[in-house]
Amino acid sequence: MYVADVYNLFRSYIDEADTTFISDAQAQLALRSAYDTVYEKIAQLSPESVLTRESYTLNAATELSFSIALPRIMGKTTDAPRLLRLFGVYFLDPSTMRIKQIVNGVGSLRELYSNNTGLRGLDDTGAVYCFIKDALFFAGPITQLLGVFYVPYPSQPENATGIDWSKTGPLDNEYIDDFPQFHKLIALIAAKEYYAVRDGADSSQIMREVSQIESDMERFFITRSPQNMRVNLVW
């Protein structure tokens, strides 16, 4: 489905074919919000399905700020898809851009700079990082090409990398994602929220449909690829 198809399906679910009670702008906002919900479900079930990657050249670096280093993926202004959740940090081979080493993460600066961890981070072969706010901190200086794999936010109008939910015309063909079998869920969730606000109650029929498709989605991602659905991280 395209955005226009989901838009029309949403209007059919709420039985509002025109803009008398819900404007196009309101409908588009509802769909964008509903897609964010669907996207988050996909990201939880199979983060590899929505991953993106950026790379950074480090020269004796002890930290990397995602709001300063280019491309910026956090902060007020971004140059690439905005980071929602960090998935993994790796050293890359500059000639092939393939992963050559996993960089291990720890949960606190206290752990990062403890004696045992610090000794492991004194050279690139034992690199350790901690993700705090908008930056990676390293246990020791790093000189490497660093690959950052992460789940991006789904909707990013500020840098035009998200889905344009205003493309609802009959000739528009705005792409959504690679999972068209679940696009009906976007319209259903938007309709569910519409009824909850308008009537102060849920539609039992829509709730059943949502529950069924969410169950189908979970089964799909559990069986999508071999080895319990973990895709090899090779770009």
Side-chain angles (χ1 to χ4, degrees):
M1 290 186 186
Y2 294 124
V3 164
D5 301 316
V6 176
Y7 168 84
N8 291 329
L9 191 59
F10 167 63
R11 284 208 172 271
S12 71
Y13 285 150
I14 64 174
D15 195 24
E16 298 289 353
D18 57 34
T19 58
T20 302
F21 296 105
I22 179 169
S23 69
D24 277 342
Q26 290 172 318
Q28 291 157 16
L29 182 60
L31 292 175
R32 175 178 171 177
S33 176
Y35 179 71
D36 287 354
T37 300
V38 174
Y39 178 93
E40 178 62 23
K41 293 179 184 296
I42 294 174
Q44 289 177 356
L45 291 168
S46 178
E48 296 91 339
S49 298
V50 294
L51 283 184
T52 190
R53 182 193 73 180
E54 298 298 337
S55 58
Y56 301 87
T57 301
L58 304 183
N59 184 14
T62 56
E63 64 180 86
L64 171 66
S65 172
F66 292 137
S67 61
I68 297 175
L70 299 179
R72 293 166 295 185
I73 57 176
M74 296 187 74
K76 182 177 180 180
T77 302
T78 58
D79 311 292
R82 184 179 295 277
L83 184 149
L84 173 62
R85 282 201 297 275
L86 185 65
F87 182 84
V89 178
Y90 308 87
F91 292 152
L92 305 178
D93 184 330
S95 61
T96 64
M97 297 302 288
R98 289 178 178 271
I99 294 171
K100 66 178 184 180
Q101 182 184 329
I102 296 172
V103 184
N104 296 313
V106 297
S108 70
L109 291 177
R110 182 184 181 88
E111 185 179 359
L112 181 71
Y113 296 127
S114 68
N115 288 336
N116 290 337
T117 304
L119 289 173
R120 294 203 308 273
L122 287 177
D123 57 57
D124 291 351
T125 60
V128 183
Y129 76 89
C130 182
F131 182 32
I132 301 291
K133 193 177 178 181
D134 65 349
L136 299 182
F137 294 84
F138 303 106
I142 302 295
T143 299
Q144 289 282 353
L145 179 62
L146 195 74
V148 176
F149 291 76
Y150 65 97
V151 175
Y153 275 94
S155 301
Q156 301 176 88
E158 74 273 14
N159 56 20
T161 58
I163 301 162
D164 187 349
W165 292 99
S166 69
K167 299 292 187 180
T168 57
L171 299 180
D172 289 327
N173 57 355
E174 178 72 5
Y175 173 80
I176 298 177
D177 60 25
D178 290 325
F179 308 108
Q181 67 271 47
F182 303 123
H183 289 172
K184 181 180 179 182
L185 185 58
I186 304 169
L188 284 167
I189 289 176
K192 177 174 73 75
E193 296 299 323
Y194 173 79
Y195 284 122
V197 171
R198 190 193 69 174
D199 301 333
D202 293 323
S203 164
S204 58
Q205 181 177 353
I206 286 179
M207 292 297 291
R208 284 194 299 271
E209 285 275 339
V210 168
S211 179
Q212 180 59 56
I213 296 177
E214 287 180 343
S215 296
D216 292 344
M217 178 186 291
E218 184 171 354
R219 285 193 294 271
F220 171 80
F221 283 108
I222 288 175
T223 59
R224 184 175 183 233
S225 64
Q227 301 176 10
N228 202 25
M229 307 336 21
R230 288 298 179 261
V231 179
N232 292 326
L233 291 176
V234 177
W235 250 248

